[in-house]
Amino acid sequence: MTDDTPENVISLATRRPPVAITPAPHLHVGFRTRMSEVPGDPLPLILDLEHQGEVVGEIARFTDTPEGHAAARTAAETGRRVVELLIFHQPGAAPA
């Protein structure tokens, strides 16, 4: 591949199911955005934390702009990575 020949890039985040947070395969955590139902809300884009498909908390709010949506995606991806680190990190194990 050269710099002038783009390749198709497939995000691993779009192919992965929610992250298992315990050995039980039925327990999952995920992140989802929704829009506020409050008229005139200055930060209407809401990023929620979900556990087993149920909303358990609001993580952050963003503007309803392309930048706000990009920030929400970045926050969700960062959250997913933090959860993976917490789950798969084995204390005392040498880094790979």
Side-chain angles (χ1 to χ4, degrees):
M1 180 179 130
T2 63
D3 290 340
D4 59 347
T5 307
E7 281 189 11
N8 290 334
V9 177
I10 299 172
S11 169
L12 292 177
T14 59
R15 297 188 313 193
R16 291 185 180 181
V19 178
I21 61 171
T22 69
H26 63 283
L27 298 176
H28 292 84
V29 66
F31 299 87
R32 183 173 305 219
T33 56
R34 64 182 170 92
M35 295 301 290
S36 171
E37 295 178 5
V38 177
D41 190 338
L43 298 172
L45 181 62
I46 302 168
L47 177 63
D48 287 328
L49 173 66
E50 294 184 343
H51 180 255
Q52 292 184 315
E54 298 292 325
V55 174
V56 294
E58 183 178 301
I59 301 296
R61 288 175 169 253
F62 303 92
T63 57
D64 186 17
T65 62
E67 294 83 7
H69 286 265
R73 283 190 303 275
T74 299
E77 178 64 17
T78 301
R80 185 189 62 75
R81 289 179 180 184
V82 167
V83 169
E84 285 182 345
L85 285 172
L86 292 172
I87 294 167
F88 298 113
H89 173 72
Q90 297 179 10

